[in-house]
Amino acid sequence: MSRTVICQSAAEALSGIADGATILVGGFGMAGMPTVLIDALIAQGAGDLTIVSNNAGNGDAGLAALLAAGRVRKVICSFPRQSDSYVFDRLYRAGKIALELVPQGNLAERVRAAGAGIGAFYCPTGVGTLLTEGKEIRTINGRDYALEYPIHGDVALIRAHIADRAGNLVYRKTARNFGPVMATAATLTVAEVSRVVDTGQLDPEKVVTPGIYVDRIVETR
């Protein structure tokens, strides 16, 4: 029997998220961004959050709206600044939000490591720069590597294309991005999808995220 719960609303899907939670948010810019779940999180009211995502918000929607609502204490991301990241930029310059800058590959691998149960790993990216200042450096086969630790989430919010009732997910093109690794790395994984179909209707060869990783699903239009 499936453990995945099909929720009737985004509010139901986000019930129980506490202040101080670390939340993994899928998306590359707005591609694959779970905007319906983020809007529901704003309405839900949890604060003092740590957000892990590739970007720190675009324009006034999605993550930017969550930041503007004053709910986020810290952002862990790869690209905090682009032409439309003015919400984050304003908060950061005012000292109202903390930032941990992580190279994109390291970010994906640190999240993946959490899902795979890896305690830590060595990576050459960023060695010799401010990004690895204070980290353990080890020379392996003549090359320097920095010790990196996994990023675990209390909650993962992701956007997929179609789900079945067992929680299996398929994605639409580049909207896939960080969703699959984030789904494995959180205690609670919530997915918003365009459509929910009966179990067995998805081609097993096309399933990217198995339902064992997905706790709650909400269908959005």
Side-chain angles (χ1 to χ4, degrees):
M1 184 175 180
S2 173
R3 58 188 284 276
T4 304
V5 176
I6 309 298
C7 299
Q8 298 305 304
S9 67
E12 178 187 347
L14 296 186
S15 64
I17 295 179
D19 291 347
T22 295
I23 302 184
L24 313 179
V25 181
F28 190 102
M30 295 303 291
M33 179 69 65
T35 54
V36 173
L37 290 177
I38 293 171
D39 288 346
L41 181 61
I42 295 171
Q44 189 257 11
D48 195 34
L49 302 172
T50 295
I51 297 295
V52 182
S53 190
N54 186 62
N55 302 77
N58 302 84
D60 296 300
L63 277 181
L66 183 65
L67 269 59
R71 302 290 175 73
V72 180
R73 177 183 66 83
K74 179 180 180 180
V75 172
I76 301 173
C77 73
S78 298
F79 292 92
R81 298 190 67 200
Q82 49 268 333
S83 61
D84 60 351
S85 61
Y86 44 81
V87 172
F88 171 83
D89 196 59
R90 181 177 68 246
L91 292 170
Y92 185 73
R93 289 177 183 274
K96 295 181 178 180
I97 197 166
L99 169 67
E100 180 180 342
L101 186 64
V102 183
Q104 190 177 76
N106 285 24
L107 182 68
E109 186 63 12
R110 288 177 66 186
V111 174
R112 191 199 70 82
I118 296 171
F121 62 93
Y122 287 96
C123 182
T125 306
V127 170
T129 73
L130 292 175
L131 294 177
T132 57
E133 193 173 75
K135 295 184 178 182
E136 178 187 332
I137 306 297
R138 181 173 178 180
T139 302
I140 303 173
N141 293 328
R143 189 176 187 186
D144 290 341
Y145 294 77
L147 184 64
E148 302 284 356
Y149 289 92
I151 299 175
H152 297 268
D154 297 302
V155 182
L157 304 181
I158 61 175
R159 170 79 190 179
H161 183 40
I162 302 173
D164 67 16
R165 294 189 174 277
N168 299 304
L169 304 178
V170 297
Y171 300 82
R172 186 177 186 276
K173 301 182 179 179
T174 58
R176 172 172 171 172
N177 52 70
F178 285 85
V181 291
M182 288 183 169
T184 71
T187 302
L188 173 71
T189 294
V190 185
E192 66 173 68
V193 299
S194 299
R195 184 159 51 101
V196 178
V197 300
D198 289 336
T199 302
Q201 289 190 356
L202 293 179
D203 180 351
E205 297 294 331
K206 295 182 179 179
V207 169
V208 177
T209 298
I212 192 172
Y213 294 115
V214 182
D215 300 285
R216 300 174 186 173
I217 289 172
V218 60
E219 187 177 86
T220 62
R221 297 293 183 180

PDB file of all heavy atoms in Angstrom, residues 10 14 17 23 25 35-46 49 51 66 71 157:
ATOM      1  N   ALA A  10      -2.916  22.752  -1.279  1.00  0.00           N
ATOM      2  CA  ALA A  10      -1.531  23.028  -0.926  1.00  0.00           C
ATOM      3  C   ALA A  10      -1.391  23.294   0.566  1.00  0.00           C
ATOM      4  O   ALA A  10      -0.383  22.935   1.178  1.00  0.00           O
ATOM      5  CB  ALA A  10      -1.015  24.225  -1.729  1.00  0.00           C
ATOM      6  N   LEU A  14       1.184  21.253   3.267  1.00  0.00           N
ATOM      7  CA  LEU A  14       2.235  21.904   4.044  1.00  0.00           C
ATOM      8  C   LEU A  14       1.953  21.931   5.544  1.00  0.00           C
ATOM      9  O   LEU A  14       2.681  22.580   6.293  1.00  0.00           O
ATOM     10  CB  LEU A  14       2.445  23.331   3.541  1.00  0.00           C
ATOM     11  CG  LEU A  14       2.956  23.466   2.116  1.00  0.00           C
ATOM     12  CD1 LEU A  14       3.252  24.915   1.798  1.00  0.00           C
ATOM     13  CD2 LEU A  14       4.200  22.630   1.890  1.00  0.00           C
ATOM     14  N   ILE A  17       4.702  22.137   9.061  1.00  0.00           N
ATOM     15  CA  ILE A  17       6.032  22.712   8.876  1.00  0.00           C
ATOM     16  C   ILE A  17       6.281  23.727   9.985  1.00  0.00           C
ATOM     17  O   ILE A  17       5.473  24.628  10.219  1.00  0.00           O
ATOM     18  CB  ILE A  17       6.181  23.365   7.498  1.00  0.00           C
ATOM     19  CG1 ILE A  17       6.079  22.291   6.402  1.00  0.00           C
ATOM     20  CG2 ILE A  17       7.515  24.106   7.382  1.00  0.00           C
ATOM     21  CD1 ILE A  17       6.183  22.841   4.999  1.00  0.00           C
ATOM     22  N   ILE A  23      14.453  24.062   4.405  1.00  0.00           N
ATOM     23  CA  ILE A  23      13.578  23.674   3.307  1.00  0.00           C
ATOM     24  C   ILE A  23      14.351  23.674   1.997  1.00  0.00           C
ATOM     25  O   ILE A  23      14.927  24.695   1.603  1.00  0.00           O
ATOM     26  CB  ILE A  23      12.355  24.608   3.215  1.00  0.00           C
ATOM     27  CG1 ILE A  23      11.580  24.568   4.536  1.00  0.00           C
ATOM     28  CG2 ILE A  23      11.461  24.213   2.053  1.00  0.00           C
ATOM     29  CD1 ILE A  23      10.302  25.360   4.543  1.00  0.00           C
ATOM     30  N   VAL A  25      14.256  23.689  -1.916  1.00  0.00           N
ATOM     31  CA  VAL A  25      13.286  24.162  -2.894  1.00  0.00           C
ATOM     32  C   VAL A  25      13.837  23.916  -4.292  1.00  0.00           C
ATOM     33  O   VAL A  25      14.863  24.482  -4.681  1.00  0.00           O
ATOM     34  CB  VAL A  25      12.973  25.662  -2.705  1.00  0.00           C
ATOM     35  CG1 VAL A  25      11.941  26.123  -3.737  1.00  0.00           C
ATOM     36  CG2 VAL A  25      12.454  25.919  -1.296  1.00  0.00           C
ATOM     37  N   THR A  35       5.865  27.051  -7.215  1.00  0.00           N
ATOM     38  CA  THR A  35       5.318  28.341  -6.791  1.00  0.00           C
ATOM     39  C   THR A  35       4.028  28.212  -5.979  1.00  0.00           C
ATOM     40  O   THR A  35       3.789  29.008  -5.068  1.00  0.00           O
ATOM     41  CB  THR A  35       5.074  29.245  -8.012  1.00  0.00           C
ATOM     42  OG1 THR A  35       4.258  28.555  -8.960  1.00  0.00           O
ATOM     43  CG2 THR A  35       6.388  29.620  -8.677  1.00  0.00           C
ATOM     44  N   VAL A  36       3.211  27.224  -6.304  1.00  0.00           N
ATOM     45  CA  VAL A  36       1.965  27.045  -5.544  1.00  0.00           C
ATOM     46  C   VAL A  36       2.282  26.663  -4.098  1.00  0.00           C
ATOM     47  O   VAL A  36       1.684  27.190  -3.149  1.00  0.00           O
ATOM     48  CB  VAL A  36       1.070  25.981  -6.207  1.00  0.00           C
ATOM     49  CG1 VAL A  36      -0.137  25.664  -5.328  1.00  0.00           C
ATOM     50  CG2 VAL A  36       0.606  26.457  -7.577  1.00  0.00           C
ATOM     51  N   LEU A  37       3.241  25.771  -3.915  1.00  0.00           N
ATOM     52  CA  LEU A  37       3.631  25.371  -2.560  1.00  0.00           C
ATOM     53  C   LEU A  37       4.288  26.521  -1.804  1.00  0.00           C
ATOM     54  O   LEU A  37       4.079  26.677  -0.603  1.00  0.00           O
ATOM     55  CB  LEU A  37       4.574  24.174  -2.627  1.00  0.00           C
ATOM     56  CG  LEU A  37       3.948  22.851  -3.070  1.00  0.00           C
ATOM     57  CD1 LEU A  37       5.013  21.763  -3.172  1.00  0.00           C
ATOM     58  CD2 LEU A  37       2.838  22.417  -2.118  1.00  0.00           C
ATOM     59  N   ILE A  38       5.076  27.324  -2.507  1.00  0.00           N
ATOM     60  CA  ILE A  38       5.711  28.457  -1.839  1.00  0.00           C
ATOM     61  C   ILE A  38       4.663  29.468  -1.388  1.00  0.00           C
ATOM     62  O   ILE A  38       4.723  29.990  -0.263  1.00  0.00           O
ATOM     63  CB  ILE A  38       6.754  29.112  -2.760  1.00  0.00           C
ATOM     64  CG1 ILE A  38       7.928  28.156  -2.989  1.00  0.00           C
ATOM     65  CG2 ILE A  38       7.264  30.413  -2.142  1.00  0.00           C
ATOM     66  CD1 ILE A  38       8.908  28.616  -4.045  1.00  0.00           C
ATOM     67  N   ASP A  39       3.681  29.748  -2.239  1.00  0.00           N
ATOM     68  CA  ASP A  39       2.598  30.653  -1.838  1.00  0.00           C
ATOM     69  C   ASP A  39       1.851  30.099  -0.625  1.00  0.00           C
ATOM     70  O   ASP A  39       1.480  30.852   0.293  1.00  0.00           O
ATOM     71  CB  ASP A  39       1.625  30.861  -2.993  1.00  0.00           C
ATOM     72  CG  ASP A  39       2.207  31.732  -4.101  1.00  0.00           C
ATOM     73  OD1 ASP A  39       3.236  32.388  -3.863  1.00  0.00           O
ATOM     74  OD2 ASP A  39       1.632  31.736  -5.211  1.00  0.00           O
ATOM     75  N   ALA A  40       1.657  28.784  -0.603  1.00  0.00           N
ATOM     76  CA  ALA A  40       0.980  28.160   0.537  1.00  0.00           C
ATOM     77  C   ALA A  40       1.843  28.234   1.790  1.00  0.00           C
ATOM     78  O   ALA A  40       1.323  28.363   2.903  1.00  0.00           O
ATOM     79  CB  ALA A  40       0.636  26.707   0.212  1.00  0.00           C
ATOM     80  N   LEU A  41       3.162  28.156   1.625  1.00  0.00           N
ATOM     81  CA  LEU A  41       4.064  28.275   2.771  1.00  0.00           C
ATOM     82  C   LEU A  41       4.003  29.680   3.352  1.00  0.00           C
ATOM     83  O   LEU A  41       4.038  29.855   4.577  1.00  0.00           O
ATOM     84  CB  LEU A  41       5.491  27.932   2.333  1.00  0.00           C
ATOM     85  CG  LEU A  41       6.575  27.974   3.421  1.00  0.00           C
ATOM     86  CD1 LEU A  41       6.276  26.972   4.532  1.00  0.00           C
ATOM     87  CD2 LEU A  41       7.945  27.690   2.805  1.00  0.00           C
ATOM     88  N   ILE A  42       3.904  30.680   2.492  1.00  0.00           N
ATOM     89  CA  ILE A  42       3.743  32.048   2.987  1.00  0.00           C
ATOM     90  C   ILE A  42       2.467  32.161   3.810  1.00  0.00           C
ATOM     91  O   ILE A  42       2.457  32.732   4.909  1.00  0.00           O
ATOM     92  CB  ILE A  42       3.717  33.035   1.807  1.00  0.00           C
ATOM     93  CG1 ILE A  42       5.066  33.046   1.086  1.00  0.00           C
ATOM     94  CG2 ILE A  42       3.367  34.448   2.296  1.00  0.00           C
ATOM     95  CD1 ILE A  42       5.062  33.820  -0.222  1.00  0.00           C
ATOM     96  N   ALA A  43       1.380  31.605   3.290  1.00  0.00           N
ATOM     97  CA  ALA A  43       0.104  31.649   4.014  1.00  0.00           C
ATOM     98  C   ALA A  43       0.145  30.829   5.289  1.00  0.00           C
ATOM     99  O   ALA A  43      -0.506  31.174   6.284  1.00  0.00           O
ATOM    100  CB  ALA A  43      -1.019  31.146   3.100  1.00  0.00           C
ATOM    101  N   GLN A  44       0.944  29.737   5.272  1.00  0.00           N
ATOM    102  CA  GLN A  44       1.021  28.856   6.441  1.00  0.00           C
ATOM    103  C   GLN A  44       1.668  29.539   7.629  1.00  0.00           C
ATOM    104  O   GLN A  44       1.305  29.285   8.780  1.00  0.00           O
ATOM    105  CB  GLN A  44       1.793  27.582   6.054  1.00  0.00           C
ATOM    106  CG  GLN A  44       1.760  26.477   7.097  1.00  0.00           C
ATOM    107  CD  GLN A  44       3.077  26.395   7.879  1.00  0.00           C
ATOM    108  OE1 GLN A  44       3.924  27.272   7.782  1.00  0.00           O
ATOM    109  NE2 GLN A  44       3.225  25.344   8.657  1.00  0.00           N
ATOM    110  N   GLY A  45       2.653  30.388   7.375  1.00  0.00           N
ATOM    111  CA  GLY A  45       3.185  31.224   8.436  1.00  0.00           C
ATOM    112  C   GLY A  45       4.500  30.822   9.067  1.00  0.00           C
ATOM    113  O   GLY A  45       5.004  31.543   9.926  1.00  0.00           O
ATOM    114  N   ALA A  46       5.088  29.684   8.708  1.00  0.00           N
ATOM    115  CA  ALA A  46       6.357  29.280   9.308  1.00  0.00           C
ATOM    116  C   ALA A  46       7.431  30.320   8.996  1.00  0.00           C
ATOM    117  O   ALA A  46       7.496  30.857   7.893  1.00  0.00           O
ATOM    118  CB  ALA A  46       6.784  27.909   8.785  1.00  0.00           C
ATOM    119  N   LEU A  49      13.223  30.478   8.554  1.00  0.00           N
ATOM    120  CA  LEU A  49      13.537  29.336   7.704  1.00  0.00           C
ATOM    121  C   LEU A  49      14.926  29.442   7.093  1.00  0.00           C
ATOM    122  O   LEU A  49      15.432  30.541   6.847  1.00  0.00           O
ATOM    123  CB  LEU A  49      12.508  29.230   6.573  1.00  0.00           C
ATOM    124  CG  LEU A  49      11.048  29.100   6.984  1.00  0.00           C
ATOM    125  CD1 LEU A  49      10.142  29.211   5.757  1.00  0.00           C
ATOM    126  CD2 LEU A  49      10.803  27.790   7.719  1.00  0.00           C
ATOM    127  N   ILE A  51      16.515  28.342   3.582  1.00  0.00           N
ATOM    128  CA  ILE A  51      16.103  27.908   2.248  1.00  0.00           C
ATOM    129  C   ILE A  51      17.324  27.458   1.470  1.00  0.00           C
ATOM    130  O   ILE A  51      18.328  28.171   1.383  1.00  0.00           O
ATOM    131  CB  ILE A  51      15.392  29.048   1.486  1.00  0.00           C
ATOM    132  CG1 ILE A  51      14.099  29.448   2.195  1.00  0.00           C
ATOM    133  CG2 ILE A  51      15.113  28.640   0.043  1.00  0.00           C
ATOM    134  CD1 ILE A  51      13.040  28.365   2.234  1.00  0.00           C
ATOM    135  N   LEU A  66       8.531  34.830  -0.677  1.00  0.00           N
ATOM    136  CA  LEU A  66       8.781  34.282   0.654  1.00  0.00           C
ATOM    137  C   LEU A  66       9.810  35.130   1.392  1.00  0.00           C
ATOM    138  O   LEU A  66       9.658  35.424   2.586  1.00  0.00           O
ATOM    139  CB  LEU A  66       9.266  32.835   0.527  1.00  0.00           C
ATOM    140  CG  LEU A  66       9.523  32.076   1.836  1.00  0.00           C
ATOM    141  CD1 LEU A  66       8.229  31.883   2.619  1.00  0.00           C
ATOM    142  CD2 LEU A  66      10.165  30.720   1.545  1.00  0.00           C
ATOM    143  N   ARG A  71      10.203  35.728   6.085  1.00  0.00           N
ATOM    144  CA  ARG A  71      10.137  34.402   6.692  1.00  0.00           C
ATOM    145  C   ARG A  71      11.473  33.651   6.676  1.00  0.00           C
ATOM    146  O   ARG A  71      11.572  32.569   7.252  1.00  0.00           O
ATOM    147  CB  ARG A  71       9.096  33.547   5.960  1.00  0.00           C
ATOM    148  CG  ARG A  71       7.711  34.146   5.953  1.00  0.00           C
ATOM    149  CD  ARG A  71       7.080  34.111   7.348  1.00  0.00           C
ATOM    150  NE  ARG A  71       5.814  34.796   7.355  1.00  0.00           N
ATOM    151  CZ  ARG A  71       4.701  34.330   6.813  1.00  0.00           C
ATOM    152  NH1 ARG A  71       4.708  33.166   6.192  1.00  0.00           N
ATOM    153  NH2 ARG A  71       3.591  35.025   6.879  1.00  0.00           N
ATOM    154  N   LEU A 157      10.399  20.890  -1.161  1.00  0.00           N
ATOM    155  CA  LEU A 157       9.267  21.322  -1.985  1.00  0.00           C
ATOM    156  C   LEU A 157       9.708  21.263  -3.429  1.00  0.00           C
ATOM    157  O   LEU A 157      10.658  21.953  -3.822  1.00  0.00           O
ATOM    158  CB  LEU A 157       8.847  22.752  -1.624  1.00  0.00           C
ATOM    159  CG  LEU A 157       8.495  23.034  -0.166  1.00  0.00           C
ATOM    160  CD1 LEU A 157       8.071  24.494  -0.004  1.00  0.00           C
ATOM    161  CD2 LEU A 157       7.412  22.098   0.341  1.00  0.00           C
TER     162      LEU A 157
END
